[in-house]
Amino acid sequence: AQRVTQPEKLLSVFKGAPVELKCNYSYSGSPELFWYVQYSRQRLQLLLRHISRESIKGFTADLNKGETSFHLKKPFAQEEDSAMYYCALHGGSQGNLIFGKGTKLSVKP
Amino acid sequence: SQTIHQWPATLVQPVGSPLSLECTVEGTSNPNLYWYRQAAGRGLQLLFYSVGIGQISSEVPQNLSASRPQDRQFILSSKKLLLSDSGFYLCAWRPRAGVYGTQYFGPGTRLLVL
């Protein structure tokens, strides 16, 4: 079955500390994975996708097929990074996304 | 540029009352359209998606239904609301020829059923 697991509901770090939001997936084919972010009072928006191998706002995510993971990392967290983060897997023929339950990141000053 | 609208922004409805949430997209044609529900601790659950006028696919059987009367209009409905229908409803669209996964979300409607 196709599934996305984000084990942490809440992650709290101090400003300047490294942060890693965990995401594991279950998928029988070649996965396409994404991170979406929802800042307070803003719309849910795409942060990055693994096929682009990009760094957005200092965040990176590497697809590890052996561990079936797509963890989101940033070496130095900023207060403005506080938001809800969702990991998503493209699992449908119509561009459907399967979302994890989300991790709320809180960066303290 | 493309924009997506949802209304109302918030809604408080009694149990057993009907529901109609509307979503419209501007600046694009033939989009794929999606309805999600975001509930605390449950993440984003895909409810319905549509690849064209009158074409609706349901992901989760429940008390809700969806319709697409026009190319850029997507409506979420219920004949009789349940307490469990409370949540935050998000509409999203994707270009038909776009990169898979790049969905664009509306501002959402917060529904409270009492």
Side-chain angles (χ1 to χ4, degrees):
Chain A
Q2 300 161 357
R3 188 170 57 245
V4 176
T5 303
Q6 293 180 252
E8 304 141 327
K9 287 186 179 180
L10 174 64
L11 184 62
S12 185
V13 301
F14 286 102
K15 177 182 174 182
V19 63
E20 180 180 68
L21 291 87
K22 291 184 168 52
C23 172
N24 290 90
Y25 66 90
S26 174
Y27 187 64
S28 58
S30 184
E32 293 181 56
L33 286 146
F34 310 85
W35 277 98
Y36 276 77
V37 62
Q38 189 172 30
Y39 300 102
S40 179
R41 295 190 179 89
Q42 294 188 28
R43 303 184 184 198
L44 187 65
Q45 57 188 292
L46 177 69
L47 179 62
L48 55 80
R49 48 184 182 249
H50 91 270
I51 57 173
S52 300
R53 304 183 69 82
E54 57 203 344
S55 174
I56 304 294
K57 298 184 179 182
F59 284 98
T60 60
D62 293 320
L63 178 62
N64 186 323
K65 293 186 178 181
E67 295 183 358
T68 60
S69 68
F70 188 55
H71 304 326
L72 184 68
K73 301 177 183 179
K74 185 169 182 176
F76 308 104
Q78 303 299 315
E79 290 181 67
E80 55 265 31
D81 296 328
S82 296
M84 193 74 178
Y85 290 81
Y86 291 94
C87 183
L89 167 71
H90 170 230
S93 60
Q94 302 302 333
N96 295 351
L97 292 174
I98 299 167
F99 285 88
K101 292 185 178 181
T103 298
K104 185 175 181 180
L105 174 64
S106 175
V107 181
K108 299 179 179 179
Chain B
S1 63
Q2 302 91 354
T3 55
I4 178 169
H5 305 281
Q6 285 186 246
W7 64 89
T10 59
L11 191 60
V12 180
Q13 292 284 97
V15 170
S17 64
L19 174 74
S20 181
L21 302 181
E22 191 161 344
C23 170
T24 58
V25 182
E26 295 177 358
T28 188
S29 297
N30 275 336
N32 281 13
L33 296 171
Y34 306 86
W35 276 113
Y36 292 89
R37 178 166 55 205
Q38 187 178 30
R42 294 188 178 182
L44 281 164
Q45 181 185 37
L46 178 62
L47 303 176
F48 301 94
Y49 69 92
S50 172
V51 299
I53 296 174
Q55 301 179 60
I56 308 296
S57 296
S58 174
E59 288 291 301
V60 182
Q62 55 198 313
N63 186 42
L64 302 169
S65 62
S67 61
R68 185 171 177 173
Q70 300 180 40
D71 181 47
R72 290 169 288 179
Q73 184 185 30
F74 205 22
I75 297 172
L76 184 67
S77 304
S78 174
K79 291 183 179 178
K80 288 186 178 182
L81 282 168
L82 306 172
L83 287 173
S84 57
D85 291 326
S86 293
F88 192 55
Y89 290 84
L90 289 170
C91 183
W93 74 277
R94 179 181 75 80
R96 187 65 58 82
V99 176
Y100 280 171
T102 309
Q103 293 184 12
Y104 302 92
F105 286 82
T109 294
R110 190 165 302 281
L111 172 66
L112 180 59
V113 182
L114 300 175

